[in-house]
Amino acid sequence: MIIVPEKEIAGLIGATESFTAVEQVFAAMSRGDAYNFPVIREAIGHADALYGFKSGFDRAGLALGLKSGGYWPGNEKLGLPNHQSTIFLFDADTGKVKAAIGGNLLTALRTAAASAVSISYLAPKAAKTLGMIGAGHQSAFQMRAAVAQRDFDRVIGWNLHPEMLSRLADTAAELGLPFEAVELDQLGAEADVIISITSSFDPILLDAHVTGGTHIACMGTDTKGKQEVDAALIARATLFTDEIAQSVSIGECQHAVASGLITEADISEMGAVINGAHPGRSSEDELTLFDGTGVGLQDLAVASAVVDLALAKGVATVVDF
Ligand code: NAD
């Protein structure tokens, strides 16, 4: 069994390799070569935590396994990330456990890679202003992966807790971009690409806020009941997702479906755009929206890449198990 501890991940994989792994697995899902198993996610009634499993099988890449983990909101006070995850891979031919890989950084990288893939394929070509809603742990990863996809010249941002906005300002500075904290109507009017990455249970970005050709990547909603954008905004957008079954049940589209504004048929797979089966954006004026619900296959894709890289660099520990 191969063990790749959390502390080794940063030295092995970054945004570029994660982008490729996620792009390939979205394409495999849409071809029917890879599928996710039903998600288990429970409020465990302890430490206010949500815990569960995301799992799947990629027949093309022979990645079989699961990510075990969840969200502990009190962790930041303990000096730990709120998300805690470990990925386990199994041999697809025998079922024997193959690898255990630290999943915290990989979760951030694969989530940022998903919105980056959507921006790469769907954002207006001339996008210049990146709008960020949310300033938590994931937001910095999201911004770093996004800026590589278009020639952005500024970042604007909003967060419910303004004291956290310094994370966005610092990340933009690291990327050499000016940052401005703005109200939501200005963000919706000026941003060409908007990423939402919050823990919200109520709509933040309203239909009236968003004007002109825009791409929105909704990345925070991964559980029943969560919501970041107005259902009317969903209904107005051309919709894409990682997996339609998750989008309508635990993703951002759940509310618009429940209120009858859209149906499953209105949502397209991101993989269909990557495979060329869907044209994607049809004009610079269009409103496109990617509902990034987070699928187990993303975790398996980046974890498989890490195992190969760890073996090649000699930093994996191999134990007889
Ligand atoms: P975090 O705890 O570090 O930050 C939380 C963010 O949400 C902060 O910006 C905070 O101000 C904001 N927030 C908290 N409560 C809010 C509320 N009621 N209304 C509006 N904003 C609120 O979390 P993080 O690690 O940055 O993750 C952010 C979200 O992304 C989480 O909800 C997490 O479950 C989700 N997530 C999704 C995926 C995916 O694949 N889709 C992957 C990882 C994380």
Side-chain angles (χ1 to χ4, degrees):
M1 177 182 180
I2 299 157
I3 297 173
V4 189
E6 185 67 44
K7 67 180 169 53
E8 300 292 353
I9 306 292
L12 291 168
I13 188 166
T16 308
E17 301 90 338
S18 302
F19 182 103
T20 304
V22 168
E23 181 185 38
Q24 284 174 356
V25 85
F26 282 173
M29 284 164 58
S30 195
R31 286 194 312 267
D33 285 340
Y35 67 108
N36 294 288
F37 307 157
V39 174
I40 292 175
R41 197 158 164 91
E42 298 283 330
I44 60 172
H46 179 77
D48 213 10
L50 288 171
Y51 175 71
F53 306 98
K54 285 190 169 181
S55 55
F57 180 43
D58 177 358
R59 259 192 304 266
L62 287 187
L64 173 68
L66 61 90
K67 178 169 81 173
S68 150
Y71 188 73
W72 276 258
N75 274 8
E76 201 152 355
K77 288 191 201 92
L78 307 172
L80 296 168
N82 289 351
H83 282 273
Q84 286 296 327
S85 307
T86 308
I87 301 164
F88 294 92
L89 297 176
F90 297 85
D91 187 314
D93 296 322
T94 63
K96 200 171 178 311
V97 66
K98 182 175 161 186
I101 305 113
N104 292 348
L105 177 57
L106 285 182
T107 296
L109 287 171
R110 66 73 143 150
T111 306
S115 64
V117 167
S118 84
I119 293 165
S120 167
Y121 283 91
L122 296 172
K125 289 279 174 265
K128 291 285 177 204
T129 300
L130 174 64
M132 298 291 309
I133 298 175
H137 178 70
Q138 307 278 331
S139 63
F141 294 89
Q142 290 285 331
M143 196 196 297
R144 287 188 199 110
V147 299
Q149 310 311 321
R150 289 291 184 273
D151 189 17
F152 291 109
D153 59 15
R154 65 193 282 248
V155 181
I156 56 180
W158 180 93
N159 194 51
L160 181 67
H161 307 104
E163 68 279 10
M164 295 171 75
L165 284 166
S166 59
R167 180 181 264 125
L168 298 181
D170 291 349
T171 310
E174 164 199 315
L175 296 164
L177 292 171
F179 173 77
E180 188 187 346
V182 296
E183 293 303 324
L184 287 163
D185 53 351
Q186 189 182 345
L187 189 140
E190 294 183 7
D192 306 302
V193 172
I194 300 171
I195 299 174
S196 60
I197 182 78
T198 72
S199 309
S200 178
F201 279 80
D202 297 297
I204 299 170
L205 190 66
L206 305 181
D207 190 20
H209 290 146
V210 180
T211 59
T214 310
H215 175 65
I216 306 174
C218 294
M219 303 306 298
T221 300
D222 55 359
T223 305
K224 196 167 168 48
K226 279 185 175 179
Q227 187 171 13
E228 297 189 298
V229 308
D230 197 356
L233 182 59
I234 295 276
R236 181 160 68 86
T238 308
L239 300 169
F240 302 86
T241 189
D242 41 22
E243 189 184 86
I244 291 170
Q246 285 198 184
S247 173
V248 301
S249 56
I250 60 170
E252 193 60 44
C253 288
Q254 61 180 291
H255 307 284
V257 170
S259 54
L261 289 172
I262 62 162
T263 69
E264 272 192 39
D266 295 310
I267 311 169
S268 302
E269 288 175 325
M270 194 60 237
V273 183
I274 298 167
N275 290 334
H278 188 296
R281 168 172 294 274
S282 58
S283 80
E284 287 286 281
D285 298 335
E286 194 175 1
L287 172 66
T288 54
L289 186 145
F290 173 66
D291 182 4
T293 67
V295 293
L297 283 166
Q298 280 169 259
D299 299 300
L300 306 189
V302 288
S304 297
V306 155
V307 167
D308 292 344
L309 291 162
L311 288 172
K313 284 199 171 180
V315 297
T317 304
V318 182
V319 295
D320 199 11
F321 183 78

mmCIF file with all atom_site columns, all heavy atoms in Angstrom, residues 44 110 118 127-128 133 205 234 286 312:
data_model
loop_
_atom_site.group_PDB
_atom_site.id
_atom_site.type_symbol
_atom_site.label_atom_id
_atom_site.label_alt_id
_atom_site.label_comp_id
_atom_site.label_asym_id
_atom_site.label_entity_id
_atom_site.label_seq_id
_atom_site.pdbx_PDB_ins_code
_atom_site.Cartn_x
_atom_site.Cartn_y
_atom_site.Cartn_z
_atom_site.occupancy
_atom_site.B_iso_or_equiv
_atom_site.pdbx_formal_charge
_atom_site.auth_seq_id
_atom_site.auth_comp_id
_atom_site.auth_asym_id
_atom_site.auth_atom_id
_atom_site.pdbx_PDB_model_num
ATOM 1  N N   . ILE A 1 44  ? -23.214 14.768 11.816  1.00 0.00 ? 44  ILE A N   1
ATOM 2  C CA  . ILE A 1 44  ? -22.994 13.670 12.765  1.00 0.00 ? 44  ILE A CA  1
ATOM 3  C C   . ILE A 1 44  ? -23.425 14.011 14.189  1.00 0.00 ? 44  ILE A C   1
ATOM 4  O O   . ILE A 1 44  ? -23.340 13.182 15.084  1.00 0.00 ? 44  ILE A O   1
ATOM 5  C CB  . ILE A 1 44  ? -21.523 13.172 12.759  1.00 0.00 ? 44  ILE A CB  1
ATOM 6  C CG1 . ILE A 1 44  ? -20.553 14.297 13.136  1.00 0.00 ? 44  ILE A CG1 1
ATOM 7  C CG2 . ILE A 1 44  ? -21.180 12.549 11.418  1.00 0.00 ? 44  ILE A CG2 1
ATOM 8  C CD1 . ILE A 1 44  ? -19.112 13.810 13.342  1.00 0.00 ? 44  ILE A CD1 1
ATOM 9  N N   . ARG A 1 110 ? -8.516  20.396 -6.461  1.00 0.00 ? 110 ARG A N   1
ATOM 10 C CA  . ARG A 1 110 ? -9.467  19.827 -7.433  1.00 0.00 ? 110 ARG A CA  1
ATOM 11 C C   . ARG A 1 110 ? -10.727 20.680 -7.547  1.00 0.00 ? 110 ARG A C   1
ATOM 12 O O   . ARG A 1 110 ? -11.360 20.757 -8.598  1.00 0.00 ? 110 ARG A O   1
ATOM 13 C CB  . ARG A 1 110 ? -9.752  18.355 -7.171  1.00 0.00 ? 110 ARG A CB  1
ATOM 14 C CG  . ARG A 1 110 ? -10.491 17.955 -5.880  1.00 0.00 ? 110 ARG A CG  1
ATOM 15 C CD  . ARG A 1 110 ? -11.945 18.319 -5.934  1.00 0.00 ? 110 ARG A CD  1
ATOM 16 N NE  . ARG A 1 110 ? -12.834 17.375 -5.318  1.00 0.00 ? 110 ARG A NE  1
ATOM 17 C CZ  . ARG A 1 110 ? -13.989 17.721 -4.760  1.00 0.00 ? 110 ARG A CZ  1
ATOM 18 N NH1 . ARG A 1 110 ? -14.366 18.993 -4.683  1.00 0.00 ? 110 ARG A NH1 1
ATOM 19 N NH2 . ARG A 1 110 ? -14.786 16.789 -4.270  1.00 0.00 ? 110 ARG A NH2 1
ATOM 20 N N   . SER A 1 118 ? -14.198 25.301 -16.029 1.00 0.00 ? 118 SER A N   1
ATOM 21 C CA  . SER A 1 118 ? -15.414 25.957 -16.539 1.00 0.00 ? 118 SER A CA  1
ATOM 22 C C   . SER A 1 118 ? -15.088 27.334 -17.115 1.00 0.00 ? 118 SER A C   1
ATOM 23 O O   . SER A 1 118 ? -15.629 27.732 -18.145 1.00 0.00 ? 118 SER A O   1
ATOM 24 C CB  . SER A 1 118 ? -16.481 26.042 -15.439 1.00 0.00 ? 118 SER A CB  1
ATOM 25 O OG  . SER A 1 118 ? -16.299 27.163 -14.591 1.00 0.00 ? 118 SER A OG  1
ATOM 26 N N   . ALA A 1 127 ? -12.712 38.469 -21.064 1.00 0.00 ? 127 ALA A N   1
ATOM 27 C CA  . ALA A 1 127 ? -12.928 38.725 -19.635 1.00 0.00 ? 127 ALA A CA  1
ATOM 28 C C   . ALA A 1 127 ? -11.720 39.438 -19.023 1.00 0.00 ? 127 ALA A C   1
ATOM 29 O O   . ALA A 1 127 ? -10.575 39.031 -19.224 1.00 0.00 ? 127 ALA A O   1
ATOM 30 C CB  . ALA A 1 127 ? -13.194 37.414 -18.903 1.00 0.00 ? 127 ALA A CB  1
ATOM 31 N N   . LYS A 1 128 ? -11.990 40.503 -18.259 1.00 0.00 ? 128 LYS A N   1
ATOM 32 C CA  . LYS A 1 128 ? -10.919 41.299 -17.639 1.00 0.00 ? 128 LYS A CA  1
ATOM 33 C C   . LYS A 1 128 ? -11.071 41.387 -16.119 1.00 0.00 ? 128 LYS A C   1
ATOM 34 O O   . LYS A 1 128 ? -10.084 41.557 -15.411 1.00 0.00 ? 128 LYS A O   1
ATOM 35 C CB  . LYS A 1 128 ? -10.939 42.738 -18.200 1.00 0.00 ? 128 LYS A CB  1
ATOM 36 C CG  . LYS A 1 128 ? -10.530 42.828 -19.654 1.00 0.00 ? 128 LYS A CG  1
ATOM 37 C CD  . LYS A 1 128 ? -9.019  42.657 -19.795 1.00 0.00 ? 128 LYS A CD  1
ATOM 38 C CE  . LYS A 1 128 ? -8.576  42.655 -21.235 1.00 0.00 ? 128 LYS A CE  1
ATOM 39 N NZ  . LYS A 1 128 ? -7.307  41.964 -21.440 1.00 0.00 ? 128 LYS A NZ  1
ATOM 40 N N   . ILE A 1 133 ? -16.861 35.985 -4.596  1.00 0.00 ? 133 ILE A N   1
ATOM 41 C CA  . ILE A 1 133 ? -17.800 36.023 -3.467  1.00 0.00 ? 133 ILE A CA  1
ATOM 42 C C   . ILE A 1 133 ? -17.363 34.921 -2.515  1.00 0.00 ? 133 ILE A C   1
ATOM 43 O O   . ILE A 1 133 ? -17.405 33.741 -2.869  1.00 0.00 ? 133 ILE A O   1
ATOM 44 C CB  . ILE A 1 133 ? -19.254 35.801 -3.942  1.00 0.00 ? 133 ILE A CB  1
ATOM 45 C CG1 . ILE A 1 133 ? -19.674 36.923 -4.895  1.00 0.00 ? 133 ILE A CG1 1
ATOM 46 C CG2 . ILE A 1 133 ? -20.202 35.702 -2.759  1.00 0.00 ? 133 ILE A CG2 1
ATOM 47 C CD1 . ILE A 1 133 ? -21.049 36.735 -5.518  1.00 0.00 ? 133 ILE A CD1 1
ATOM 48 N N   . LEU A 1 205 ? -26.001 36.357 -4.380  1.00 0.00 ? 205 LEU A N   1
ATOM 49 C CA  . LEU A 1 205 ? -25.998 37.076 -5.662  1.00 0.00 ? 205 LEU A CA  1
ATOM 50 C C   . LEU A 1 205 ? -27.395 36.962 -6.275  1.00 0.00 ? 205 LEU A C   1
ATOM 51 O O   . LEU A 1 205 ? -27.887 35.847 -6.508  1.00 0.00 ? 205 LEU A O   1
ATOM 52 C CB  . LEU A 1 205 ? -24.949 36.454 -6.592  1.00 0.00 ? 205 LEU A CB  1
ATOM 53 C CG  . LEU A 1 205 ? -24.634 37.221 -7.872  1.00 0.00 ? 205 LEU A CG  1
ATOM 54 C CD1 . LEU A 1 205 ? -23.966 38.570 -7.560  1.00 0.00 ? 205 LEU A CD1 1
ATOM 55 C CD2 . LEU A 1 205 ? -23.728 36.385 -8.784  1.00 0.00 ? 205 LEU A CD2 1
ATOM 56 N N   . ILE A 1 234 ? -30.347 31.510 -11.837 1.00 0.00 ? 234 ILE A N   1
ATOM 57 C CA  . ILE A 1 234 ? -30.125 30.165 -12.391 1.00 0.00 ? 234 ILE A CA  1
ATOM 58 C C   . ILE A 1 234 ? -31.015 29.984 -13.621 1.00 0.00 ? 234 ILE A C   1
ATOM 59 O O   . ILE A 1 234 ? -30.560 29.512 -14.676 1.00 0.00 ? 234 ILE A O   1
ATOM 60 C CB  . ILE A 1 234 ? -30.463 29.082 -11.330 1.00 0.00 ? 234 ILE A CB  1
ATOM 61 C CG1 . ILE A 1 234 ? -29.515 29.163 -10.141 1.00 0.00 ? 234 ILE A CG1 1
ATOM 62 C CG2 . ILE A 1 234 ? -30.524 27.691 -11.945 1.00 0.00 ? 234 ILE A CG2 1
ATOM 63 C CD1 . ILE A 1 234 ? -28.215 28.446 -10.291 1.00 0.00 ? 234 ILE A CD1 1
ATOM 64 N N   . GLU A 1 286 ? -23.747 36.247 -23.480 1.00 0.00 ? 286 GLU A N   1
ATOM 65 C CA  . GLU A 1 286 ? -24.517 35.210 -22.783 1.00 0.00 ? 286 GLU A CA  1
ATOM 66 C C   . GLU A 1 286 ? -24.144 35.149 -21.293 1.00 0.00 ? 286 GLU A C   1
ATOM 67 O O   . GLU A 1 286 ? -23.021 35.489 -20.895 1.00 0.00 ? 286 GLU A O   1
ATOM 68 C CB  . GLU A 1 286 ? -24.213 33.855 -23.447 1.00 0.00 ? 286 GLU A CB  1
ATOM 69 C CG  . GLU A 1 286 ? -25.174 32.760 -23.072 1.00 0.00 ? 286 GLU A CG  1
ATOM 70 C CD  . GLU A 1 286 ? -24.895 31.467 -23.874 1.00 0.00 ? 286 GLU A CD  1
ATOM 71 O OE1 . GLU A 1 286 ? -23.936 31.452 -24.686 1.00 0.00 ? 286 GLU A OE1 1
ATOM 72 O OE2 . GLU A 1 286 ? -25.638 30.507 -23.660 1.00 0.00 ? 286 GLU A OE2 1
ATOM 73 N N   . ALA A 1 312 ? 7.411   8.463  -8.610  1.00 0.00 ? 312 ALA A N   1
ATOM 74 C CA  . ALA A 1 312 ? 8.489   8.939  -9.483  1.00 0.00 ? 312 ALA A CA  1
ATOM 75 C C   . ALA A 1 312 ? 9.526   9.739  -8.695  1.00 0.00 ? 312 ALA A C   1
ATOM 76 O O   . ALA A 1 312 ? 10.723  9.653  -8.965  1.00 0.00 ? 312 ALA A O   1
ATOM 77 C CB  . ALA A 1 312 ? 7.901   9.791  -10.614 1.00 0.00 ? 312 ALA A CB  1
#
